[in-house]
mmCIF file of all heavy atoms in Angstrom:
data_model
loop_
_atom_site.group_PDB
_atom_site.id
_atom_site.type_symbol
_atom_site.label_atom_id
_atom_site.label_comp_id
_atom_site.label_asym_id
_atom_site.label_seq_id
_atom_site.Cartn_x
_atom_site.Cartn_y
_atom_site.Cartn_z
ATOM 1 N N ASN U 1 1.861 -7.826 -3.662
ATOM 2 C CA ASN U 1 0.633 -8.634 -3.504
ATOM 3 C C ASN U 1 0.971 -9.743 -2.520
ATOM 4 O O ASN U 1 1.978 -10.452 -2.688
ATOM 5 C CB ASN U 1 0.165 -9.207 -4.852
ATOM 6 C CG ASN U 1 -0.333 -8.175 -5.786
ATOM 7 O OD1 ASN U 1 -1.101 -7.306 -5.441
ATOM 8 N ND2 ASN U 1 0.159 -8.203 -7.021
ATOM 9 N N PHE U 2 0.163 -9.888 -1.479
ATOM 10 C CA PHE U 2 0.393 -11.009 -0.591
ATOM 11 C C PHE U 2 -0.933 -11.597 -0.096
ATOM 12 O O PHE U 2 -1.996 -10.928 -0.098
ATOM 13 C CB PHE U 2 1.249 -10.606 0.628
ATOM 14 C CG PHE U 2 0.676 -9.602 1.576
ATOM 15 C CD1 PHE U 2 0.026 -10.018 2.741
ATOM 16 C CD2 PHE U 2 0.680 -8.241 1.293
ATOM 17 C CE1 PHE U 2 -0.509 -9.124 3.627
ATOM 18 C CE2 PHE U 2 0.163 -7.318 2.185
ATOM 19 C CZ PHE U 2 -0.463 -7.765 3.337
ATOM 20 N N THR U 3 -0.884 -12.866 0.272
ATOM 21 C CA THR U 3 -2.038 -13.616 0.731
ATOM 22 C C THR U 3 -1.777 -14.183 2.125
ATOM 23 O O THR U 3 -0.703 -14.753 2.379
ATOM 24 C CB THR U 3 -2.326 -14.771 -0.246
ATOM 25 O OG1 THR U 3 -2.497 -14.240 -1.564
ATOM 26 C CG2 THR U 3 -3.574 -15.543 0.206
ATOM 27 N N GLN U 4 -2.741 -14.018 3.019
ATOM 28 C CA GLN U 4 -2.590 -14.604 4.353
ATOM 29 C C GLN U 4 -2.692 -16.110 4.213
ATOM 30 O O GLN U 4 -3.650 -16.656 3.647
ATOM 31 C CB GLN U 4 -3.728 -14.091 5.295
ATOM 32 C CG GLN U 4 -3.648 -12.605 5.590
ATOM 33 C CD GLN U 4 -2.428 -12.237 6.457
ATOM 34 O OE1 GLN U 4 -1.694 -13.076 6.881
ATOM 35 N NE2 GLN U 4 -2.287 -10.933 6.699
ATOM 36 N N ASN U 5 -1.692 -16.815 4.757
ATOM 37 C CA ASN U 5 -1.633 -18.251 4.624
ATOM 38 C C ASN U 5 -2.839 -18.937 5.276
ATOM 39 O O ASN U 5 -3.355 -19.939 4.776
ATOM 40 C CB ASN U 5 -0.357 -18.807 5.259
ATOM 41 C CG ASN U 5 0.612 -19.324 4.183
ATOM 42 O OD1 ASN U 5 0.288 -19.347 3.017
ATOM 43 N ND2 ASN U 5 1.755 -19.725 4.599
ATOM 44 N N VAL U 6 -3.285 -18.449 6.426
ATOM 45 C CA VAL U 6 -4.308 -19.104 7.165
ATOM 46 C C VAL U 6 -5.694 -18.791 6.596
ATOM 47 O O VAL U 6 -6.478 -19.687 6.254
ATOM 48 C CB VAL U 6 -4.299 -18.657 8.677
ATOM 49 C CG1 VAL U 6 -5.391 -19.361 9.447
ATOM 50 C CG2 VAL U 6 -2.916 -18.993 9.274
ATOM 51 N N SER U 7 -5.997 -17.507 6.451
ATOM 52 C CA SER U 7 -7.362 -17.081 5.982
ATOM 53 C C SER U 7 -7.489 -17.001 4.471
ATOM 54 O O SER U 7 -8.584 -16.935 3.955
ATOM 55 C CB SER U 7 -7.727 -15.743 6.570
ATOM 56 O OG SER U 7 -6.823 -14.757 6.110
ATOM 57 N N LYS U 8 -6.331 -16.971 3.752
ATOM 58 C CA LYS U 8 -6.290 -16.841 2.310
ATOM 59 C C LYS U 8 -6.821 -15.493 1.820
ATOM 60 O O LYS U 8 -7.164 -15.315 0.630
ATOM 61 C CB LYS U 8 -7.082 -17.974 1.602
ATOM 62 C CG LYS U 8 -6.512 -19.358 1.912
ATOM 63 C CD LYS U 8 -5.047 -19.460 1.553
ATOM 64 C CE LYS U 8 -4.444 -20.818 1.895
ATOM 65 N NZ LYS U 8 -2.987 -20.874 1.633
ATOM 66 N N GLU U 9 -6.930 -14.506 2.728
ATOM 67 C CA GLU U 9 -7.323 -13.187 2.308
ATOM 68 C C GLU U 9 -6.189 -12.513 1.564
ATOM 69 O O GLU U 9 -4.996 -12.683 1.902
ATOM 70 C CB GLU U 9 -7.705 -12.328 3.539
ATOM 71 C CG GLU U 9 -8.907 -12.788 4.320
ATOM 72 C CD GLU U 9 -10.209 -12.516 3.560
ATOM 73 O OE1 GLU U 9 -10.182 -11.760 2.569
ATOM 74 O OE2 GLU U 9 -11.270 -13.018 4.011
ATOM 75 N N LYS U 10 -6.520 -11.778 0.505
ATOM 76 C CA LYS U 10 -5.496 -11.178 -0.353
ATOM 77 C C LYS U 10 -5.424 -9.649 -0.131
ATOM 78 O O LYS U 10 -6.453 -9.019 0.109
ATOM 79 C CB LYS U 10 -5.836 -11.468 -1.833
ATOM 80 C CG LYS U 10 -5.828 -12.951 -2.197
ATOM 81 C CD LYS U 10 -6.139 -13.139 -3.641
ATOM 82 C CE LYS U 10 -6.204 -14.634 -3.992
ATOM 83 N NZ LYS U 10 -4.878 -15.281 -3.793
ATOM 84 N N PHE U 11 -4.176 -9.141 -0.222
ATOM 85 C CA PHE U 11 -3.935 -7.737 -0.019
ATOM 86 C C PHE U 11 -2.951 -7.192 -1.059
ATOM 87 O O PHE U 11 -2.131 -7.956 -1.554
ATOM 88 C CB PHE U 11 -3.432 -7.447 1.410
ATOM 89 C CG PHE U 11 -4.377 -7.854 2.471
ATOM 90 C CD1 PHE U 11 -4.313 -9.141 3.035
ATOM 91 C CD2 PHE U 11 -5.366 -6.965 2.952
ATOM 92 C CE1 PHE U 11 -5.204 -9.545 4.008
ATOM 93 C CE2 PHE U 11 -6.229 -7.351 3.915
ATOM 94 C CZ PHE U 11 -6.145 -8.654 4.453
ATOM 95 N N THR U 12 -3.060 -5.892 -1.318
ATOM 96 C CA THR U 12 -2.136 -5.239 -2.263
ATOM 97 C C THR U 12 -1.598 -3.978 -1.559
ATOM 98 O O THR U 12 -2.303 -3.228 -0.938
ATOM 99 C CB THR U 12 -2.888 -4.811 -3.542
ATOM 100 O OG1 THR U 12 -3.385 -5.982 -4.190
ATOM 101 C CG2 THR U 12 -1.945 -4.085 -4.488
ATOM 102 N N VAL U 13 -0.278 -3.809 -1.744
ATOM 103 C CA VAL U 13 0.380 -2.591 -1.261
ATOM 104 C C VAL U 13 0.932 -1.850 -2.458
ATOM 105 O O VAL U 13 1.713 -2.391 -3.229
ATOM 106 C CB VAL U 13 1.552 -2.914 -0.292
ATOM 107 C CG1 VAL U 13 2.172 -1.598 0.193
ATOM 108 C CG2 VAL U 13 1.079 -3.761 0.856
ATOM 109 N N ASP U 14 0.446 -0.619 -2.683
ATOM 110 C CA ASP U 14 0.915 0.226 -3.756
ATOM 111 C C ASP U 14 1.799 1.317 -3.235
ATOM 112 O O ASP U 14 1.413 2.038 -2.289
ATOM 113 C CB ASP U 14 -0.264 0.826 -4.540
ATOM 114 C CG ASP U 14 -0.942 -0.177 -5.482
ATOM 115 O OD1 ASP U 14 -0.232 -0.982 -6.055
ATOM 116 O OD2 ASP U 14 -2.180 -0.138 -5.564
ATOM 117 N N ILE U 15 2.998 1.454 -3.825
ATOM 118 C CA ILE U 15 3.945 2.481 -3.429
ATOM 119 C C ILE U 15 4.178 3.408 -4.649
ATOM 120 O O ILE U 15 4.629 2.917 -5.669
ATOM 121 C CB ILE U 15 5.282 1.915 -2.969
ATOM 122 C CG1 ILE U 15 5.063 0.868 -1.845
ATOM 123 C CG2 ILE U 15 6.224 2.995 -2.481
ATOM 124 C CD1 ILE U 15 6.286 0.044 -1.498
ATOM 125 N N LYS U 16 3.811 4.660 -4.555
ATOM 126 C CA LYS U 16 3.902 5.582 -5.664
ATOM 127 C C LYS U 16 4.787 6.761 -5.268
ATOM 128 O O LYS U 16 4.643 7.341 -4.202
ATOM 129 C CB LYS U 16 2.543 6.081 -6.097
ATOM 130 C CG LYS U 16 1.610 4.945 -6.565
ATOM 131 C CD LYS U 16 0.215 5.477 -6.848
ATOM 132 C CE LYS U 16 -0.724 4.311 -7.238
ATOM 133 N NZ LYS U 16 -2.127 4.827 -7.491
ATOM 134 N N THR U 17 5.737 7.132 -6.132
ATOM 135 C CA THR U 17 6.681 8.168 -5.863
ATOM 136 C C THR U 17 6.555 9.303 -6.876
ATOM 137 O O THR U 17 6.595 9.042 -8.103
ATOM 138 C CB THR U 17 8.118 7.640 -5.882
ATOM 139 O OG1 THR U 17 8.297 6.661 -4.834
ATOM 140 C CG2 THR U 17 9.126 8.740 -5.715
ATOM 141 N N VAL U 18 6.365 10.516 -6.391
ATOM 142 C CA VAL U 18 6.361 11.741 -7.243
ATOM 143 C C VAL U 18 7.364 12.709 -6.632
ATOM 144 O O VAL U 18 7.134 13.256 -5.552
ATOM 145 C CB VAL U 18 4.945 12.368 -7.304
ATOM 146 C CG1 VAL U 18 4.992 13.629 -8.178
ATOM 147 C CG2 VAL U 18 3.922 11.375 -7.888
ATOM 148 N N GLU U 19 8.474 12.884 -7.299
ATOM 149 C CA GLU U 19 9.612 13.672 -6.797
ATOM 150 C C GLU U 19 10.011 13.145 -5.415
ATOM 151 O O GLU U 19 10.455 12.036 -5.271
ATOM 152 C CB GLU U 19 9.236 15.138 -6.809
ATOM 153 C CG GLU U 19 9.055 15.686 -8.190
ATOM 154 C CD GLU U 19 8.809 17.181 -8.231
ATOM 155 O OE1 GLU U 19 8.542 17.755 -7.187
ATOM 156 O OE2 GLU U 19 8.867 17.776 -9.360
ATOM 157 N N TYR U 20 9.796 13.955 -4.362
ATOM 158 C CA TYR U 20 10.253 13.557 -3.032
ATOM 159 C C TYR U 20 9.107 13.053 -2.165
ATOM 160 O O TYR U 20 9.286 12.787 -0.964
ATOM 161 C CB TYR U 20 10.938 14.734 -2.324
ATOM 162 C CG TYR U 20 12.110 15.271 -3.056
ATOM 163 C CD1 TYR U 20 12.113 16.541 -3.582
ATOM 164 C CD2 TYR U 20 13.252 14.476 -3.229
ATOM 165 C CE1 TYR U 20 13.203 17.039 -4.303
ATOM 166 C CE2 TYR U 20 14.332 14.971 -3.956
ATOM 167 C CZ TYR U 20 14.315 16.241 -4.472
ATOM 168 O OH TYR U 20 15.414 16.715 -5.155
ATOM 169 N N GLU U 21 7.919 12.891 -2.749
ATOM 170 C CA GLU U 21 6.773 12.439 -1.971
ATOM 171 C C GLU U 21 6.420 11.005 -2.356
ATOM 172 O O GLU U 21 6.276 10.669 -3.514
ATOM 173 C CB GLU U 21 5.550 13.325 -2.220
ATOM 174 C CG GLU U 21 4.328 12.937 -1.388
ATOM 175 C CD GLU U 21 3.155 13.883 -1.576
ATOM 176 O OE1 GLU U 21 3.349 14.924 -2.270
ATOM 177 O OE2 GLU U 21 2.108 13.614 -1.047
ATOM 178 N N HIS U 22 6.332 10.135 -1.321
ATOM 179 C CA HIS U 22 6.006 8.725 -1.539
ATOM 180 C C HIS U 22 4.680 8.411 -0.832
ATOM 181 O O HIS U 22 4.499 8.707 0.333
ATOM 182 C CB HIS U 22 7.126 7.863 -0.946
ATOM 183 C CG HIS U 22 8.502 8.323 -1.280
ATOM 184 N ND1 HIS U 22 9.066 8.178 -2.525
ATOM 185 C CD2 HIS U 22 9.407 9.037 -0.532
ATOM 186 C CE1 HIS U 22 10.284 8.716 -2.543
ATOM 187 N NE2 HIS U 22 10.511 9.212 -1.342
ATOM 188 N N THR U 23 3.772 7.843 -1.587
ATOM 189 C CA THR U 23 2.493 7.462 -1.054
ATOM 190 C C THR U 23 2.383 5.940 -0.946
ATOM 191 O O THR U 23 2.701 5.225 -1.914
ATOM 192 C CB THR U 23 1.319 7.973 -1.943
ATOM 193 O OG1 THR U 23 1.452 9.421 -2.004
ATOM 194 C CG2 THR U 23 -0.025 7.621 -1.351
ATOM 195 N N ILE U 24 1.932 5.437 0.201
ATOM 196 C CA ILE U 24 1.804 4.005 0.417
ATOM 197 C C ILE U 24 0.353 3.689 0.763
ATOM 198 O O ILE U 24 -0.224 4.267 1.665
ATOM 199 C CB ILE U 24 2.682 3.563 1.590
ATOM 200 C CG1 ILE U 24 4.193 3.840 1.240
ATOM 201 C CG2 ILE U 24 2.507 2.067 1.876
ATOM 202 C CD1 ILE U 24 5.126 3.692 2.443
ATOM 203 N N GLU U 25 -0.256 2.842 -0.056
ATOM 204 C CA GLU U 25 -1.646 2.407 0.149
ATOM 205 C C GLU U 25 -1.755 0.887 0.280
ATOM 206 O O GLU U 25 -1.202 0.189 -0.527
ATOM 207 C CB GLU U 25 -2.551 2.892 -0.970
ATOM 208 C CG GLU U 25 -2.758 4.363 -1.039
ATOM 209 C CD GLU U 25 -3.741 4.790 -2.131
ATOM 210 O OE1 GLU U 25 -4.027 3.955 -3.015
ATOM 211 O OE2 GLU U 25 -4.266 5.908 -2.093
ATOM 212 N N VAL U 26 -2.416 0.498 1.319
ATOM 213 C CA VAL U 26 -2.712 -0.936 1.522
ATOM 214 C C VAL U 26 -4.207 -1.179 1.287
ATOM 215 O O VAL U 26 -5.037 -0.531 1.911
ATOM 216 C CB VAL U 26 -2.330 -1.391 2.955
ATOM 217 C CG1 VAL U 26 -2.615 -2.864 3.147
ATOM 218 C CG2 VAL U 26 -0.857 -1.091 3.245
ATOM 219 N N LYS U 27 -4.505 -2.115 0.392
ATOM 220 C CA LYS U 27 -5.871 -2.377 -0.002
ATOM 221 C C LYS U 27 -6.236 -3.835 0.221
ATOM 222 O O LYS U 27 -5.362 -4.724 0.084
ATOM 223 C CB LYS U 27 -6.125 -2.007 -1.483
ATOM 224 C CG LYS U 27 -5.761 -0.573 -1.812
ATOM 225 C CD LYS U 27 -5.945 -0.332 -3.308
ATOM 226 C CE LYS U 27 -5.473 1.047 -3.707
ATOM 227 N NZ LYS U 27 -5.573 1.265 -5.167
ATOM 228 N N ASN U 28 -7.499 -4.123 0.508
ATOM 229 C CA ASN U 28 -7.951 -5.472 0.559
ATOM 230 C C ASN U 28 -8.409 -5.928 -0.859
ATOM 231 O O ASN U 28 -8.288 -5.185 -1.825
ATOM 232 C CB ASN U 28 -9.110 -5.655 1.596
ATOM 233 C CG ASN U 28 -10.305 -4.773 1.257
ATOM 234 O OD1 ASN U 28 -10.527 -4.349 0.124
ATOM 235 N ND2 ASN U 28 -11.136 -4.544 2.270
ATOM 236 N N SER U 29 -8.934 -7.150 -0.948
ATOM 237 C CA SER U 29 -9.296 -7.712 -2.252
ATOM 238 C C SER U 29 -10.453 -6.964 -2.904
ATOM 239 O O SER U 29 -10.675 -7.083 -4.118
ATOM 240 C CB SER U 29 -9.644 -9.189 -2.113
ATOM 241 O OG SER U 29 -10.703 -9.358 -1.169
ATOM 242 N N ASP U 30 -11.216 -6.188 -2.125
ATOM 243 C CA ASP U 30 -12.282 -5.377 -2.690
ATOM 244 C C ASP U 30 -11.809 -3.986 -3.136
ATOM 245 O O ASP U 30 -12.626 -3.199 -3.639
ATOM 246 C CB ASP U 30 -13.411 -5.205 -1.629
ATOM 247 C CG ASP U 30 -14.068 -6.539 -1.300
ATOM 248 O OD1 ASP U 30 -14.201 -7.412 -2.174
ATOM 249 O OD2 ASP U 30 -14.475 -6.693 -0.095
ATOM 250 N N GLY U 31 -10.542 -3.703 -2.971
ATOM 251 C CA GLY U 31 -10.012 -2.417 -3.343
ATOM 252 C C GLY U 31 -10.206 -1.332 -2.304
ATOM 253 O O GLY U 31 -9.861 -0.182 -2.524
ATOM 254 N N GLU U 32 -10.668 -1.702 -1.128
ATOM 255 C CA GLU U 32 -10.882 -0.763 -0.035
ATOM 256 C C GLU U 32 -9.508 -0.409 0.563
ATOM 257 O O GLU U 32 -8.677 -1.274 0.861
ATOM 258 C CB GLU U 32 -11.763 -1.373 1.050
ATOM 259 C CG GLU U 32 -11.983 -0.479 2.234
ATOM 260 C CD GLU U 32 -12.777 -1.165 3.314
ATOM 261 O OE1 GLU U 32 -13.128 -2.355 3.171
ATOM 262 O OE2 GLU U 32 -13.062 -0.517 4.364
ATOM 263 N N ILE U 33 -9.253 0.882 0.725
ATOM 264 C CA ILE U 33 -7.983 1.368 1.281
ATOM 265 C C ILE U 33 -8.014 1.208 2.792
ATOM 266 O O ILE U 33 -8.806 1.815 3.480
ATOM 267 C CB ILE U 33 -7.714 2.836 0.899
ATOM 268 C CG1 ILE U 33 -7.591 2.945 -0.623
ATOM 269 C CG2 ILE U 33 -6.415 3.311 1.573
ATOM 270 C CD1 ILE U 33 -7.426 4.367 -1.088
ATOM 271 N N LEU U 34 -7.106 0.383 3.328
ATOM 272 C CA LEU U 34 -7.024 0.116 4.765
ATOM 273 C C LEU U 34 -6.000 1.035 5.438
ATOM 274 O O LEU U 34 -6.157 1.422 6.583
ATOM 275 C CB LEU U 34 -6.672 -1.370 4.997
ATOM 276 C CG LEU U 34 -7.595 -2.414 4.313
ATOM 277 C CD1 LEU U 34 -7.041 -3.800 4.620
ATOM 278 C CD2 LEU U 34 -8.998 -2.274 4.821
ATOM 279 N N ILE U 35 -4.919 1.291 4.715
ATOM 280 C CA ILE U 35 -3.878 2.172 5.238
ATOM 281 C C ILE U 35 -3.457 3.122 4.122
ATOM 282 O O ILE U 35 -3.219 2.731 2.971
ATOM 283 C CB ILE U 35 -2.629 1.365 5.683
ATOM 284 C CG1 ILE U 35 -3.008 0.384 6.824
ATOM 285 C CG2 ILE U 35 -1.511 2.273 6.151
ATOM 286 C CD1 ILE U 35 -1.875 -0.600 7.121
ATOM 287 N N ASN U 36 -3.376 4.409 4.444
ATOM 288 C CA ASN U 36 -2.864 5.430 3.531
ATOM 289 C C ASN U 36 -1.791 6.244 4.239
ATOM 290 O O ASN U 36 -2.071 6.887 5.276
ATOM 291 C CB ASN U 36 -3.982 6.336 3.059
ATOM 292 C CG ASN U 36 -3.508 7.324 1.996
ATOM 293 O OD1 ASN U 36 -2.695 8.167 2.280
ATOM 294 N ND2 ASN U 36 -4.004 7.200 0.783
ATOM 295 N N SER U 37 -0.576 6.194 3.770
ATOM 296 C CA SER U 37 0.501 6.809 4.467
ATOM 297 C C SER U 37 1.368 7.623 3.483
ATOM 298 O O SER U 37 1.638 7.141 2.365
ATOM 299 C CB SER U 37 1.375 5.731 5.151
ATOM 300 O OG SER U 37 2.475 6.335 5.829
ATOM 301 N N GLN U 38 1.810 8.801 3.899
ATOM 302 C CA GLN U 38 2.674 9.624 3.070
ATOM 303 C C GLN U 38 4.065 9.735 3.716
ATOM 304 O O GLN U 38 4.169 9.784 4.973
ATOM 305 C CB GLN U 38 2.114 11.049 2.891
ATOM 306 C CG GLN U 38 1.114 11.185 1.806
ATOM 307 C CD GLN U 38 -0.232 10.575 2.145
ATOM 308 O OE1 GLN U 38 -0.706 10.764 3.271
ATOM 309 N NE2 GLN U 38 -0.857 9.888 1.245
ATOM 310 N N LEU U 39 5.060 9.706 2.876
ATOM 311 C CA LEU U 39 6.460 9.750 3.363
ATOM 312 C C LEU U 39 7.203 10.705 2.475
ATOM 313 O O LEU U 39 7.077 10.671 1.232
ATOM 314 C CB LEU U 39 7.042 8.344 3.261
ATOM 315 C CG LEU U 39 8.543 8.187 3.465
ATOM 316 C CD1 LEU U 39 8.903 8.484 4.884
ATOM 317 C CD2 LEU U 39 8.971 6.757 3.088
ATOM 318 N N PHE U 40 8.013 11.568 3.060
ATOM 319 C CA PHE U 40 8.811 12.530 2.300
ATOM 320 C C PHE U 40 10.283 12.162 2.503
ATOM 321 O O PHE U 40 10.732 11.995 3.613
ATOM 322 C CB PHE U 40 8.554 13.970 2.753
ATOM 323 C CG PHE U 40 7.148 14.425 2.501
ATOM 324 C CD1 PHE U 40 6.150 14.219 3.423
ATOM 325 C CD2 PHE U 40 6.825 15.025 1.282
ATOM 326 C CE1 PHE U 40 4.841 14.662 3.174
ATOM 327 C CE2 PHE U 40 5.525 15.475 1.029
ATOM 328 C CZ PHE U 40 4.545 15.275 1.985
ATOM 329 N N GLY U 41 10.987 12.054 1.388
ATOM 330 C CA GLY U 41 12.410 11.722 1.477
ATOM 331 C C GLY U 41 13.065 11.764 0.118
ATOM 332 O O GLY U 41 12.391 11.760 -0.927
ATOM 333 N N ASN U 42 14.384 11.764 0.107
ATOM 334 C CA ASN U 42 15.118 11.909 -1.119
ATOM 335 C C ASN U 42 15.093 10.648 -1.980
ATOM 336 O O ASN U 42 15.158 10.734 -3.209
ATOM 337 C CB ASN U 42 16.576 12.325 -0.851
ATOM 338 C CG ASN U 42 16.687 13.697 -0.216
ATOM 339 O OD1 ASN U 42 15.870 14.576 -0.503
ATOM 340 N ND2 ASN U 42 17.708 13.888 0.609
ATOM 341 N N ASN U 43 15.080 9.508 -1.318
ATOM 342 C CA ASN U 43 15.277 8.276 -2.056
ATOM 343 C C ASN U 43 14.096 7.331 -1.999
ATOM 344 O O ASN U 43 13.324 7.350 -1.027
ATOM 345 C CB ASN U 43 16.513 7.557 -1.479
ATOM 346 C CG ASN U 43 17.750 8.365 -1.559
ATOM 347 O OD1 ASN U 43 18.076 8.928 -2.588
ATOM 348 N ND2 ASN U 43 18.469 8.481 -0.448
#
């Protein structure tokens, strides 16, 4: 969870791992997904 110092807008980054697949979602304070990224890796 982070807040922009200047605008005070709040954001959340969720990182979820299922076996070797990692999903990264960046959301604004309204819960709207701004970035959705998938990553495959062992760790």
Side-chain angles (χ1 to χ4, degrees):
N1 292 312
F2 66 97
T3 303
Q4 295 290 358
N5 250 356
V6 180
S7 63
K8 300 303 179 185
E9 295 287 349
K10 299 180 182 296
F11 299 91
T12 299
V13 182
D14 284 322
I15 307 169
K16 299 175 183 177
T17 296
V18 179
E19 294 185 347
Y20 301 114
E21 182 176 354
H22 316 284
T23 301
I24 300 168
E25 290 185 344
V26 180
K27 303 175 184 177
N28 60 20
S29 57
D30 295 326
E32 179 185 1
I33 298 176
L34 306 177
I35 300 171
N36 184 295
S37 179
Q38 276 74 42
L39 169 68
F40 295 90
N42 294 330
N43 301 311

